[in-house]
Amino acid sequence: MTPKHSEESSVTTTSIKPQETPDTAPKARKPTWRHSGKAFLFVLPTFLVLGVFVYFPIIESFRLSLNRVAPFGGKEIFVGLNNYTRLLSSPQFWGTVKVSIFFMVGTVVFAIGFAVAIAILLSIPLKRFSWYYRTAIFIPVVISSAIAGVLFRLLYNPVVGFFNYWLSLIGIDGPNWLTSSTWSLVAVTITVVWRQLGFNVIIALAGIQQIDAQLYEAAKVDGAGAMRRIWHVTLPMLTPTLFFLLVVNVITSLQAFGEINILTDGGPGKATTNIVYQVFVDGFVGTHFVGRASAQAFLLALLIIGISIAQFKGFSKKVHYQ
Amino acid sequence: MRRTLKMFVLLLAFALVAAACSSSDDSSDTTVASGGTETTVASGGTETTVASGGTETTVASGGDAVEVTFWHAMADDLGAVVDGLVDEYNSSQSAVHVTSTFQGSYDDTFNAFTAALQAGTAPNIVQNFDLASQTMIDTGALLPAYQVMPEGQADTFIPAARDYYSDENGMVALAFNSSTPIVYYNAEKFADAGLEAPADDWNFSDFAATCDALEAAGTEFCVTFGQVGWYFEQILANSGGLYFDNDNGRTGRATEAMFNDATGVEVFTFLTGLIADGHAPNLGNTWSDTDSVFFAGDAAMIFDSTSGTRGFQDNAGFEVETAYIPHSDSSERNGVVIGGAALWLVDSDDPVTNAASWDFMNFMVQEDPQVVWHVGTGYFPVLSSLMTDTPPELAEFWVENPNFVTAIEQLATTKTEINGEPNYAVLGGRSGPSPEIRRLVVEAYSAVLDGGATPQEALDAVAEQVKTILADYNAFFE
Amino acid sequence: MTTADMTAADAQSTPLTVELEHDAEPTKRRFGELPIHLSLLIIGLIIAVPIIVAFFMSFTPLPEIVGRSDPKILPDTWTLENYDKAWRASPFPRYMLNSFIQTGVITIAQVLLSILAGFAFAMFEFRGKAILFSILIGSLIIPFELTFIPNFLLVSDLGLANTYAGLTIPFLASAFGVFMMRQFFMSIPRDLYDAAKIDGASDWFYLWRIMVPLSKGAISAFTIFAFLAAWNQYLWPLVITNEESMRTAQIGLRFFLVNQERATDWGAIMAGAMIVMIPTLIVFLVAQRQLVKGIAMTGLKG
């Protein structure tokens, strides 16, 4: 999400909510170009940077995806949609799609599920220690993907790591976290979930605290217990927040990169290579395939943009408004 | 107020500059090999004269030293030896000053170099690994060594190193740190199991018998090795198998993989089988995690590079001995491909700088630095004079450290010719996208160990992809 | 989405502060607070465990780390040797300096440019405003993955790889920041602007002397976001730097880890991780309220 990573700009869209209220700003008569000069000066620097480093690259990226680019020297051969057709018919590409979906589902289910449960606990007023709990629980929000990768690489290490040692204390023979193709997916997901959790809890907690206390009172009068109140008041009233979290987590998990780079380098084999990672490998590692990398980046972007737009549409329709 | 205004103007100016820059054309990199110019760099008394004929450029000592940048891939202790040699060179003369930079692993260095070519910030000398040779040549950014090398110097190198880094015109790069894989073993475990030192030409069956004996004597794992592409390539060569068509890409550009033939499958079955059958732990694609297992005594043998000889000998809490790598049951022992890396001279378009760079490269392959390098690391000396006419201190060192000799002899006994014809198997596969192809082979390990594919299926799948990759690459040179 | 949607969206006055201490649901305290304390304590510990482990291991001598089969969290003997090793073995001081420069430039530029553009979008009427605003918002849904290869090629071609300019230039502006500033500026009553105008204040004066001081909360929240985002960047600095002397702290740490040729020196790596983490941890501890409010703000439907 943008608050954390400007690289991952897409998520910020979530902060724009279609509103029912009309624009209240005074609408002056149509300004002249001359009048507009001052305003242009104010917005010019922003649009220059965005123009060069966001808008132009979109076109350039598409152009590259229609070419095969030599690994050095910039020689290009135009191949039309060949990069795309090859990708769509290659099991390797669909393998990376599968990995992306695994991370997505894992992150969405666990990072949101845990976050809501923890937020409900945190929303209960306590006389003391509240600050300490919040600090400990929120802290991953400032942790970078590189740090998260390094910390968990230690924990997963079969020789000096702690996870398998702790598991052995309760009689479990721990898995090969980073060298088994199944467990490495789990290991990366755990790391991504951990880092995402702080953000999700903060959002969920804010959402819970927006809920009108009278609704709880009413439920209580009707004789609803704590669990029933959570089920029938908190969760339904939280749907807008949950929807927001869903979109943010889907997009963030599709963009998981740093943790993979440090924990597994996409391995073993291609077990933890998601689309983003394959873009990186094709574009920057060993022999460079810039055209193919661009084509994959384009497909990934279409997916993310699609999800972002679906969010705008879905937001106004599906979620529960007070 | 005024300050914020200033800030605004500054930012605006910056943004405008950024926009202006972006619209300027990409500067094209033209590289002209500076053939036919003679350049002399006076390096502290001794004069090095490069090439012959044409104009002459001389750098007088006493003036400002020529700055030369050198990128290398040697980490930690190895890096310290490199830096020591660079310091020695710098202090030995005043005409040239070399700045060395550690660029990370071979892969990282290679990536950094291709990126730097694009950006026009390439160093003058880059150490690049064996696999990148074809790509290095294809960049066209290099000054091939044969253009600056005095006649006959190529023959001062051991033939394996000379041939590996040669094209049809001569040596293109200077072999510097050459290594091959060997088997390090825990001598105590071998003694406990009642085993003799392995024979030089041991095959897979001999290896399996050794494993059985070791495990019967109580060792948890017979061997440990990382799932890197190198051991497959080397054991394939030792078994006489080819990696690519067109004689391993030596008599024409490689167009398809050969490693999925019977020999390749036999080798890959051997390697994956060791892990699948529990003779070796599954540690994934690693160069370092295997060491912990070997040092801890959990594995009796380890495949590793000869460059680790010093490290293994000094860090193990037990006696470490060395053996040759095994070969397939259906082949004779062929020998190994010279691995490691070479020094490449990047054409700077400035004859003075090129000459200065060459002077340093040349220094690195002289006898004394090569002895320092060999003794300090285990990479073997690349000069044949050190083999035939061994200086006494080196001879003494070899007597005291027989492990260092194994690597040299393994290479020296490699069959470089069969019936008078070059043995292309031990020259190693050469192709442009070799780094990518190695990556695919590494993935094939997982396809077998995790994905349930047979070695044949896994290698066939890789070979299928390799065909496309090679065709795409070669298309740029048609 | 249409421009109309957008203008409608931001006209709404989003509450910009969230009172997290507000007690939404007083739960019946039949069992007292103890079970809640216990569960929160356990959850907090589990979440903090990776950081706790790293913290203590950074003070543990290497033989203690590798030489035992029952790893312990607390060191038997404490040592600063790991920090010394991390600080010297790889150029960590330089990495940190690079990160501070990179982060400083990005943060300052994003905040200033966002204030300027946000002000224009909030207060001025001008030609093409609606279109420009849609273009701006549209850029928010462009994932970085789509743009970073062309950006890499462009920045390299300009010869800016391995320079501070190359590290920072693609991130000098933030569409999110512009949007956030605009939202906040629009929540300030327009009467104030009109009154200032009548008193003869220039737009420039009004922005810096009245708007900005009034918007301290929103600006500092965005500053924190921008700082954290820039400090924690990974993919871009990974591809655009290849000289050791230009690596950022995050990338330096990565190379410090993967370049360990022989048995990995975990103590020194954890010391490196702690060094890299410290600036963000300080920001978190000092500005936790601000940060939490800022994040909460992005998620509230208002």
Side-chain angles (χ1 to χ4, degrees):
Chain A
M1 37 227 130
T2 306
K4 276 166 70 183
H5 301 275
S6 62
E7 285 179 352
E8 301 159 12
S9 59
S10 56
V11 188
T12 43
T13 46
T14 43
S15 51
I16 307 147
K17 315 116 214 156
Q19 297 296 339
E20 308 82 35
T21 14
D23 193 337
T24 50
K27 277 270 189 264
R29 67 253 145 250
K30 197 143 184 96
T32 62
W33 286 111
R34 238 168 60 88
H35 254 93
S36 307
K38 184 162 55 178
F40 286 153
L41 274 182
F42 276 75
V43 300
L44 183 70
T46 295
F47 278 97
L48 274 176
V49 175
L50 293 181
V52 176
F53 294 105
V54 178
Y55 305 125
F56 163 74
I58 298 172
I59 302 161
E60 177 66 3
S61 190
F62 184 64
R63 193 190 66 74
L64 286 170
S65 77
L66 301 179
N67 284 278
R68 198 170 296 139
V69 186
F72 44 81
K75 210 166 165 187
E76 290 174 4
I77 296 175
F78 182 78
V79 295
L81 291 175
N82 185 264
N83 285 324
Y84 291 96
T85 51
R86 270 199 199 172
L87 280 173
L88 294 177
S89 63
S90 112
Q92 283 79 26
F93 172 73
W94 290 108
T96 62
V97 173
K98 248 187 249 169
V99 171
S100 292
I101 291 174
F102 184 98
F103 288 148
M104 187 176 88
V105 174
T107 310
V108 164
V109 171
F110 291 104
I112 299 183
F114 288 148
V116 170
I118 294 170
I120 289 173
L121 276 176
L122 278 179
S123 73
I124 299 167
L126 295 171
K127 279 202 210 78
R128 58 183 80 173
F129 301 130
S130 209
W131 186 86
Y132 296 97
Y133 301 140
R134 286 181 184 186
T135 302
I137 291 166
F138 294 167
I139 211 164
V141 93
V142 298
I143 302 290
S144 68
S145 54
I147 299 278
V150 169
L151 299 189
F152 277 81
R153 186 153 159 171
L154 167 69
L155 294 172
Y156 292 133
N157 187 286
V159 185
V160 300
F162 287 80
F163 279 172
N164 282 354
Y165 171 66
W166 288 331
L167 285 175
S168 75
L169 293 183
I170 52 169
I172 297 174
D173 195 9
N176 290 321
W177 289 102
L178 299 178
T179 52
S180 131
S181 55
T182 318
W183 284 103
S184 58
L185 276 169
V186 177
V188 173
T189 308
I190 290 175
T191 314
V192 173
V193 166
W194 177 74
R195 202 164 74 86
Q196 188 64 26
L197 207 53
F199 177 85
N200 288 4
V201 173
I202 292 172
I203 299 277
L205 184 56
I208 290 172
Q209 286 171 333
Q210 287 286 301
I211 297 171
D212 193 342
Q214 287 177 354
L215 290 172
Y216 291 109
E217 290 307 320
K220 226 188 266 180
V221 169
D222 291 348
M227 287 320 275
R228 283 183 69 86
R229 288 205 300 274
I230 289 172
W231 192 250
H232 290 289
V233 180
T234 311
L235 291 182
M237 294 310 295
L238 207 55
T239 19
T241 307
L242 290 178
F243 191 77
F244 170 77
L245 281 177
L246 178 70
V247 174
V248 173
N249 281 267
V250 162
I251 294 176
T252 311
S253 58
L254 284 176
Q255 295 180 312
F257 176 80
E259 291 91 346
I260 300 173
N261 185 239
I262 287 181
L263 282 174
T264 62
D265 191 21
K270 268 186 157 24
T272 53
T273 301
N274 60 358
I275 308 175
V276 184
Y277 208 76
Q278 188 62 41
V279 171
F280 166 72
V281 168
D282 279 350
F284 296 92
V285 178
T287 317
H288 300 186
F289 302 96
V290 172
R292 191 168 84 190
S294 298
Q296 287 170 101
F298 225 87
L299 292 175
L300 174 69
L302 286 181
L303 184 65
I304 289 175
I305 292 169
I307 291 169
S308 304
I309 290 174
Q311 167 226 353
F312 282 105
K313 297 247 157 92
F315 205 84
S316 40
K317 282 183 207 152
K318 285 186 197 134
V319 297
H320 180 279
Y321 281 97
Q322 233 174 294
Chain B
M1 178 75 202
R2 182 171 288 175
R3 268 173 53 192
T4 43
L5 184 69
K6 242 185 202 166
M7 192 79 98
F8 179 50
V9 172
L10 261 174
L11 280 167
L12 202 64
F14 184 55
L16 283 168
V17 168
C21 287
S22 65
S23 59
S24 73
D25 281 344
D26 309 345
S27 58
S28 54
D29 294 281
T30 40
T31 44
V32 187
S34 70
T37 44
E38 180 178 297
T39 311
T40 309
V41 180
S43 52
T46 56
E47 286 221 334
T48 326
T49 310
V50 186
S52 52
T55 49
E56 190 172 308
T57 321
T58 308
V59 184
S61 59
D64 282 345
V66 182
E67 287 295 330
V68 168
T69 49
F70 167 42
W71 284 4
H72 69 81
M74 303 281 96
D76 296 345
D77 306 348
L78 303 181
V81 182
V82 171
D83 289 340
L85 288 172
V86 170
D87 288 345
E88 191 189 325
Y89 175 75
N90 281 337
S91 54
S92 74
Q93 45 77 48
S94 57
V96 182
H97 182 262
V98 176
T99 311
S100 66
T101 317
F102 169 57
Q103 286 292 340
S105 66
Y106 286 142
D107 280 321
D108 290 333
T109 309
F110 178 63
N111 289 336
F113 179 69
T114 42
L117 275 183
Q118 183 126 29
T121 56
N124 302 111
I125 302 167
V126 60
Q127 180 196 30
N128 240 320
F129 64 139
D130 47 4
L131 273 194
S133 303
Q134 184 66 46
T135 310
M136 288 301 288
I137 296 166
D138 289 338
T139 58
L142 302 166
L143 196 53
Y146 60 77
Q147 288 196 14
V148 285
M149 196 181 251
E151 196 124 335
Q153 191 184 347
D155 294 326
T156 63
F157 288 87
I158 53 173
R162 180 195 62 206
D163 294 349
Y164 189 90
Y165 292 107
S166 291
D167 67 4
E168 60 277 13
N169 299 311
M171 270 184 101
V172 287
L174 289 192
F176 168 61
N177 55 316
S178 293
S179 60
T180 55
I182 46 174
V183 179
Y184 296 90
Y185 62 88
N186 184 329
E188 292 161 21
K189 299 232 175 236
F190 267 59
D192 290 348
L195 289 164
E196 300 284 309
D200 288 351
D201 66 341
W202 60 332
N203 62 20
F204 295 166
S205 299
D206 302 330
F207 194 93
T210 308
C211 275
D212 292 341
L214 285 166
E215 285 161 12
T219 301
E220 186 177 3
F221 297 111
C222 155
V223 62
T224 178
F225 58 96
Q227 289 156 34
V228 297
W230 199 44
Y231 305 127
F232 173 67
E233 292 158 21
Q234 291 283 357
I235 298 177
L236 179 70
N238 197 22
S239 306
L242 289 179
Y243 206 72
F244 294 122
D245 64 347
N246 286 331
D247 300 322
N248 254 345
R250 296 280 165 170
T251 55
R253 283 188 184 272
T255 66
E256 61 180 332
M258 300 289 283
F259 53 66
N260 58 333
D261 67 4
T263 315
V265 172
E266 190 179 354
V267 173
F268 203 53
T269 306
F270 166 70
L271 288 170
T272 52
L274 286 174
I275 297 169
D277 300 338
H279 298 302
N282 185 353
L283 298 175
N285 174 7
T286 175
W287 284 96
S288 54
D289 289 348
T290 46
D291 296 356
S292 327
V293 177
F294 182 66
F295 287 144
D298 293 337
M301 294 187 275
I302 182 172
F303 297 161
D304 212 303
S305 164
T306 50
S307 63
T309 309
R310 169 62 64 200
F312 279 111
Q313 207 166 274
D314 293 355
N315 293 333
F318 46 81
E319 182 92 7
V320 174
E321 288 178 6
T322 47
Y324 293 178
I325 56 170
H327 62 87
S328 72
D329 289 350
S330 53
S331 66
E332 297 287 302
R333 174 175 180 273
N334 278 257
V336 287
V337 184
I338 195 160
L343 302 180
W344 299 79
L345 178 52
V346 182
D347 192 349
S348 66
D349 285 343
D350 171 20
V352 176
T353 309
N354 284 347
S357 307
W358 169 253
D359 190 60
F360 170 69
M361 283 169 69
N362 198 28
F363 164 82
M364 292 294 262
V365 296
Q366 296 306 308
E367 283 197 3
D368 289 348
Q370 279 292 312
V371 171
V372 172
W373 182 236
H374 168 64
V375 171
T377 61
Y379 282 112
F380 43 75
V382 292
L383 298 174
S384 45
S385 59
L386 290 176
M387 310 289 174
T388 51
D389 195 9
T390 310
E393 70 271 21
L394 185 59
E396 197 177 313
F397 173 79
W398 280 344
V399 171
E400 283 163 18
N401 298 278
N403 285 338
F404 283 72
V405 183
T406 311
I408 296 165
E409 287 185 345
Q410 183 177 233
L411 188 71
T413 56
T414 290
K415 286 188 216 156
T416 52
E417 290 190 344
I418 292 178
N419 305 328
E421 293 290 314
N423 182 3
Y424 291 109
V426 296
L427 273 182
R430 179 189 278 178
S431 79
S434 282
E436 172 72 7
I437 292 166
R438 183 181 270 182
R439 198 176 163 95
L440 294 175
V441 170
V442 170
E443 288 168 14
Y445 273 100
S446 305
V448 173
L449 296 173
D450 263 336
T454 65
Q456 179 78 62
E457 287 162 358
L459 290 179
D460 283 350
V462 174
E464 194 58 39
Q465 293 182 66
V466 167
K467 211 176 205 171
T468 317
I469 291 169
L470 288 172
D472 287 353
Y473 184 89
N474 294 342
F476 291 112
F477 302 96
E478 275 160 11
Chain C
M1 99 218 98
T2 65
T3 325
D5 281 343
M6 288 337 304
T7 18
D10 36 74
Q12 223 261 336
S13 54
T14 317
L16 281 159
T17 50
V18 181
E19 202 42 70
L20 280 176
E21 289 71 24
H22 166 67
D23 299 339
E25 191 221 348
T27 309
K28 229 189 268 172
R29 293 180 186 151
R30 217 186 319 165
F31 307 106
E33 292 183 349
L34 191 62
I36 298 161
H37 276 291
L38 268 180
S39 15
L40 283 175
L41 184 68
I42 292 169
I43 292 168
L45 272 179
I46 290 176
I47 291 178
V49 127
I51 297 168
I52 295 171
V53 164
F55 176 78
F56 287 117
M57 187 168 278
S58 71
F59 295 104
T60 310
L62 185 61
E64 262 187 58
I65 298 171
V66 295
R68 60 188 184 203
S69 52
D70 57 331
K72 271 188 290 179
I73 292 179
L74 284 175
D76 293 337
T77 42
W78 291 68
T79 176
L80 282 173
E81 191 192 340
N82 293 324
Y83 284 87
D84 189 51
K85 263 192 277 184
W87 198 247
R88 282 185 304 127
S90 103
F92 258 100
R94 179 70 197 215
Y95 295 158
M96 296 298 280
L97 175 73
N98 293 343
S99 270
F100 275 114
I101 292 174
Q102 169 236 9
T103 307
V105 169
I106 291 177
T107 308
I108 292 170
Q110 283 193 358
V111 170
L112 287 179
L113 297 197
S114 298
I115 288 174
L116 291 176
F119 182 70
F121 277 118
M123 307 307 289
F124 298 155
E125 288 306 318
F126 53 98
R127 284 271 179 146
K129 177 177 173 181
I131 295 171
L132 281 179
F133 193 68
S134 330
I135 292 178
L136 180 87
I137 296 305
S139 78
L140 288 175
I141 63 171
I142 303 303
F144 181 70
E145 287 73 18
L146 184 56
T147 56
F148 87 112
I149 292 176
N151 279 342
F152 169 78
L153 299 174
L154 176 66
V155 170
S156 298
D157 285 346
L158 294 175
L160 296 181
N162 287 314
T163 65
Y164 292 118
L167 272 171
T168 53
I169 205 168
F171 306 103
L172 294 182
S174 160
F176 171 74
V178 175
F179 178 75
M180 189 168 162
M181 286 303 124
R182 170 182 185 268
Q183 291 294 88
F184 196 85
F185 291 156
M186 290 184 72
S187 73
I188 294 172
R190 195 156 180 108
D191 297 352
L192 209 57
Y193 180 64
D194 296 334
K197 276 293 194 188
I198 292 166
D199 289 347
S202 67
D203 286 322
W204 192 251
F205 181 88
Y206 178 73
L207 169 60
W208 295 107
R209 288 304 167 87
I210 298 174
M211 279 291 223
V212 168
L214 279 176
S215 318
K216 261 187 205 145
I219 292 174
S220 49
F222 177 64
T223 307
I224 296 169
F225 286 167
F227 173 87
L228 289 176
W231 185 268
N232 288 342
Q233 268 195 16
Y234 191 79
L235 184 49
W236 181 253
L238 176 68
V239 299
I240 205 65
T241 61
N242 51 49
E243 277 172 23
E244 200 169 39
S245 62
M246 285 309 294
R247 281 181 191 139
T248 62
Q250 312 286 337
I251 306 308
L253 181 65
R254 183 248 179 200
F255 279 95
F256 190 44
L257 171 71
V258 300
N259 283 339
Q260 307 262 336
E261 279 263 328
R262 301 279 152 215
T264 316
D265 190 348
W266 285 106
I269 288 168
M270 290 305 132
M274 292 310 299
I275 294 171
V276 178
M277 239 190 294
I278 282 170
T280 51
L281 288 183
I282 289 175
V283 167
F284 179 72
L285 293 176
V286 171
Q288 189 181 345
R289 277 173 79 99
Q290 213 88 35
L291 176 70
V292 168
K293 277 182 190 173
I295 292 174
M297 204 166 79
T298 66
L300 287 184
K301 76 177 182 69

